[in-house]
Amino acid sequence: MEFSLDRDESQVADEHVTADVTDRDGAVVVSVRGKVLYDTLAPLADVLSDLTQRPELHLVLELSDVPMCDSSGLNLFVRTRSRLAETGGWLRLTGTRPLVDNVLHITNLDRILTRYATVEEAIAAG
């Protein structure tokens, strides 16, 4: 299953987020591209909201194409993790870039949003 959600294409390319969803080895992988910011994260939020309706979902957010993430994005990740945990699922992050890693570390969210180098490692840790 693949989805690609884009905001209005008339906007500048770096002002939107895309999310491609695939099933892989018992997990759902959401490959995210773009800056995850307050005014750009709506398409990703919609995808994650739909996915969190599934019980016991194992979700990997692949973020290697996300150059930055603000507090709204972090809030979205934490809310998603909480919803999944309530139904026996989990959320794992992969491919985080230095700026995103730094924000996770500064906010201490790296303690609850587990990160892995690759999607395969995140799934295997299950």
Side-chain angles (χ1 to χ4, degrees):
M1 160 173 68
E2 286 196 31
F3 298 98
S4 183
L5 299 176
D6 293 316
R7 290 175 60 116
D8 185 315
E9 298 205 0
S10 66
Q11 294 188 1
V12 179
D14 68 356
E15 292 185 7
H16 69 278
V17 172
T18 61
D20 295 322
V21 180
T22 56
D23 291 312
R24 193 177 197 180
D25 299 324
V28 173
V29 178
V30 178
S31 299
V32 184
R33 281 182 301 286
K35 296 176 183 176
V36 181
L37 307 172
Y38 170 77
D39 58 348
T40 65
L41 63 71
L44 177 60
D46 291 343
V47 168
L48 296 179
S49 178
D50 289 344
L51 289 172
T52 58
Q53 302 307 309
R54 296 185 191 178
E56 299 181 24
L57 179 69
H58 298 158
L59 181 63
V60 178
L61 289 182
E62 205 294 309
L63 302 174
S64 62
D65 290 325
V66 174
M68 66 174 38
C69 177
D70 70 6
S71 61
S72 300
L74 296 178
N75 186 11
L76 175 62
F77 299 162
V78 170
R79 284 192 335 259
T80 299
R81 178 194 173 275
S82 296
R83 286 186 195 131
L84 292 174
E86 289 171 1
T87 63
W90 49 252
L91 170 70
R92 297 184 178 146
L93 309 180
T94 65
T96 54
R97 292 169 66 177
L99 193 55
V100 175
D101 280 334
N102 191 39
V103 172
L104 288 167
H105 178 70
I106 288 170
T107 58
N108 283 324
L109 290 175
D110 55 351
R111 295 177 188 215
I112 64 167
L113 294 171
T114 53
R115 294 172 289 157
Y116 296 85
T118 68
V119 169
E120 293 77 18
E121 287 177 20
I123 294 171

